[in-house]
Amino acid sequence: MRRIFSISSLLNKGSIQRRVSNKCLINAIRPYSEDLSSPKSPGPLLQYRKLVEQGRLQHDPYQERVALALENLLGRLEQYEKEMEDYHIKLAEWEKNRETERRKLLMEEAELNQRGDLWTSVNKRKSELLERWSFRRKSEDIEPGVGKWVSYLNREKKLDSLVGRRPTAPPAPKGLYIYGNVGSGKTMLMDMFYSATEGIVRHRQRFHFHEAMLKINEAMHKLWKNQVEEKSIQSSISSWIMNLPFDMKAKEWLAAEERYKQEVQMKNILPAVADKFLVDRQAGERGASILCFDEIQAVDVFAIVALSGIVSRLLSTGTVLVSTSNRAPKDLNQDGMQREIFLKFVNKLEKHCEIILVGSEVDYRRQIAQRSVDKVHYFWPLDGTALKEFEKMWCQVINQAGGEVTSSTVPVMFGRTLEVPQSCNGVARFTFDYLCGRPVGAADYIAVAKSHHTVFISDIPVMSMRISDKARRFITLIDELYNHHCCLFCSAATSIDDLFQGTEEGTLFDLESFQFETETEGAKLRRDVLAEGSVSSGGAPAGITSMLSGQEEMFAFRRAVSRLIEMQTPLYLEGVRSLHPYFQRKHQSFKNCSYSASTVHHQVSH
């Protein structure tokens, strides 16, 4: 009978006291995070060496090389943060002066407009142009909006001479693009670096590929919707134009010029998404920006276009990128989709990042599987003994969590919600068919993972081509539970190694779940984006199906198996309390309460 592992220490103390055999050394597991209340985390090299000294990691020269590169980058960030603070002060002043001068120019033009001088001049010039062009082309062929475009450009040139060009950002230190085999420790090393940046860099974000693509899509939809409805445009116009001492005709002209300026800015939507979302920077905030991006992939046209536009924008504006992938940058797009855009993206990555290989062929998680039989969170097969242990563990965890088991609803991206059939204080339970047998996808799994630190999944079958859509969803589910550092309990029909049986029969790719994500609110669907850039004439884009039919699928299967193995190890479980968003939110609330209390005490004392 398999041993039942208590997680009372996980939920109550935040650590697990368990001896790890020296023969079961782990090199792909995310590190135990230091106490969140500590003012500054140690650097990635120190974290790595400490875990090696403790016997919790086996020394690997490839991993140490990456840790050293990350340590060197961390050392450059403190000075870069100060330089970027100074830069943003200059930038804010420049933007303020430029806006002031731009409005002065507009008001001068509006005054001429009101007197009629401008319209006389424009109409005269228009007549001359029309007479000159009438011999060469029909009037209906003339590009609309040329007048506004010319006046906009002329105004921008005048502003450059009055205020000067935009301040230049200080040169950013090179980021890192870390790639290598499944289980080689890429995510572990990146997370060591990310934890060490707390207190050094103010603006920092960490995303997994699935979550980033969904958030990009959601942000694009919101910007596109605002542009169509013109809500933001109208509000910004009325705030300063309506009270000016001009007649309505002049005000309408001013409003049209303002609207045109914002339309020009909105035409390139991906830089707007990058500026407003990915670096998490609010207006007026200063300092450097770091983006940690786990598992970069080029699975479809949308991913290639979005990554190219957004990452290029961030790198051009000084954001430091640290990313992981199974492939070198040039090998990401093996099907050649959107080749020109992709090559520009690769050139940008190579210019701004050091490309570094974690060259080990060893999957350290698999070493655990081979040397340890103590799989305490994964119960198989689906017989009486294993199911009894699974139910016993559920009761034990619920008793530790306290409270009543009820159904609940969690918000999902794109305005949707997902019902959780059984939930209790951050613990949730689902059947495999409920999570993977319906048309749900990464957005739903992200919502589950963020809301629950412990997840039980029952009745997991052997996966083959017969249920290929369910298999693909299950892989995505494991990715998100792992990415958010959830504690996972499973009851399954077979061992982890035998879970995926469909690769010899064919591919396991679920196009349906990719497209389901955005089918809401009449939005510009992701599948519309795909169709516009598709190389096929109808149905599923041929490039996507082809690309994910071979080695990409094998990566996905191997990654899921590797992560399922890691999620049962003591070192992974030790990090749940400090790394999961559920506990981070509680810690932040506690910090805020402590700050408020200390502020009140200070005010009362003085």
Side-chain angles (χ1 to χ4, degrees), residues 45 75 107 162 307 350 367 414 427 433 470 484-485 493 590:
L45 186 61
M107 290 175 69
L162 287 170
L307 283 174
E350 292 178 342
Q367 283 192 352
F414 311 109
V427 181
D433 275 338
K470 296 180 182 180
H484 290 86
H485 216 101
F590 175 76

Side-chain angles (χ1 to χ4, degrees), residues 2-202:
R2 296 168 184 79
R3 293 171 57 192
I4 299 175
F5 181 63
S6 170
I7 64 162
S8 58
S9 56
L10 169 66
L11 297 178
N12 298 326
K13 298 178 184 178
S15 63
I16 296 176
Q17 301 300 323
R18 175 178 286 262
R19 180 178 168 272
V20 183
S21 168
N22 288 334
K23 294 182 180 180
C24 301
L25 299 173
I26 309 164
N27 279 60
I29 297 180
R30 280 182 260 184
Y32 176 76
S33 178
E34 302 294 331
D35 184 355
L36 286 172
S37 62
S38 63
K40 191 173 180 180
S41 298
L45 186 61
L46 182 60
Q47 289 183 58
Y48 179 79
R49 287 176 174 170
K50 184 177 179 182
L51 289 170
V52 170
E53 288 172 8
Q54 293 171 346
R56 303 166 92 180
L57 292 182
Q58 177 180 317
H59 178 262
D60 183 305
Y62 295 104
Q63 292 181 350
E64 187 170 49
R65 176 172 166 245
V66 175
L68 177 60
L70 290 167
E71 186 78 26
N72 290 337
L73 173 58
L74 186 70
R76 295 195 295 271
L77 286 178
E78 201 156 357
Q79 179 60 34
Y80 183 58
E81 170 76 7
K82 294 174 184 175
E83 291 172 356
M84 286 299 285
E85 284 184 6
D86 293 339
Y87 162 72
H88 281 112
I89 291 172
K90 294 175 184 175
L91 180 63
E93 185 66 24
W94 177 85
E95 288 175 339
K96 180 182 176 182
N97 292 340
R98 191 176 180 90
E99 180 62 15
T100 300
E101 292 298 328
R102 190 183 66 82
R103 291 191 179 185
K104 284 181 183 177
L105 288 177
L106 277 172
M107 290 175 69
E108 288 172 5
E109 292 177 32
E111 192 173 352
L112 287 172
N113 179 359
Q114 183 165 282
R115 293 204 308 263
D117 294 348
L118 184 62
W119 288 120
T120 301
S121 173
V122 168
N123 288 332
K124 183 179 179 181
R125 180 65 177 158
K126 187 186 293 184
S127 298
E128 292 174 357
L129 286 171
L130 285 173
E131 287 175 7
R132 190 179 304 165
W133 280 84
S134 61
F135 295 103
R136 289 189 254 175
R137 58 191 297 185
K138 295 180 180 179
S139 60
E140 59 265 25
D141 293 334
I142 295 176
E143 182 185 351
V146 168
K148 281 190 173 58
W149 173 241
V150 171
S151 64
Y152 172 78
L153 288 180
N154 287 337
R155 200 174 299 123
E156 291 297 303
K157 287 179 182 177
K158 286 181 183 177
L159 288 170
D160 286 342
S161 63
L162 287 170
V163 185
R165 294 294 184 101
R166 183 186 181 93
T168 304
K174 271 195 169 186
L176 262 75
Y177 180 102
I178 308 164
Y179 73 100
N181 196 29
V182 168
S184 58
K186 305 181 298 293
T187 299
M188 173 191 75
L189 293 163
M190 186 186 74
D191 284 347
M192 286 179 175
F193 169 79
Y194 184 74
S195 68
T197 60
E198 185 172 8
I200 295 177
V201 178
R202 187 174 307 169

Side-chain angles (χ1 to χ4, degrees), residues 406-410 418-423 428-430 434 448 452:
T406 61
S407 63
S408 63
T409 301
V410 294
L418 178 73
E419 186 176 350
V420 181
Q422 293 177 277
S423 176
R429 179 168 175 170
F430 306 89
Y434 186 84
V448 169
H452 302 91

Side-chain angles (χ1 to χ4, degrees), residues 489-592:
F489 292 88
C490 301
S491 71
T494 187
S495 67
I496 294 174
D497 279 327
D498 295 329
L499 203 54
F500 300 102
Q501 296 292 324
T503 54
E504 292 181 3
E505 300 174 45
T507 64
L508 297 181
F509 176 63
D510 176 23
L511 187 63
E512 176 190 3
S513 70
F514 267 74
Q515 297 195 353
F516 177 77
E517 302 297 349
T518 54
E519 293 178 5
T520 55
E521 300 181 10
K524 185 177 178 68
L525 301 185
R526 175 169 178 158
R527 64 182 179 192
D528 292 339
V529 178
L530 292 174
E532 288 168 9
S534 173
V535 295
S536 66
S537 58
I544 301 172
T545 307
S546 169
M547 184 175 181
L548 286 179
S549 62
Q551 202 171 10
E552 293 300 326
E553 284 295 286
M554 292 303 300
F555 273 135
F557 302 147
R558 289 164 56 198
R559 186 175 68 242
V561 167
S562 187
R563 287 179 169 180
L564 277 170
I565 291 168
E566 178 183 341
M567 292 171 83
Q568 300 170 67
T569 59
L571 192 55
Y572 174 91
L573 293 169
E574 287 173 1
V576 172
R577 189 174 180 88
S578 55
L579 294 173
H580 192 276
Y582 181 91
F583 295 109
Q584 289 183 338
R585 286 193 296 269
K586 283 198 167 187
H587 171 71
Q588 189 60 45
S589 298
F590 175 76
K591 275 176 62 178
N592 292 341

Side-chain angles (χ1 to χ4, degrees), residues 351-367:
K351 179 182 177 183
H352 291 273
C353 296
E354 180 184 355
I355 313 299
I356 187 165
L357 170 67
V358 185
S360 176
E361 293 298 320
V362 178
D363 183 347
Y364 289 99
R365 299 160 178 152
R366 184 159 294 282
Q367 283 192 352

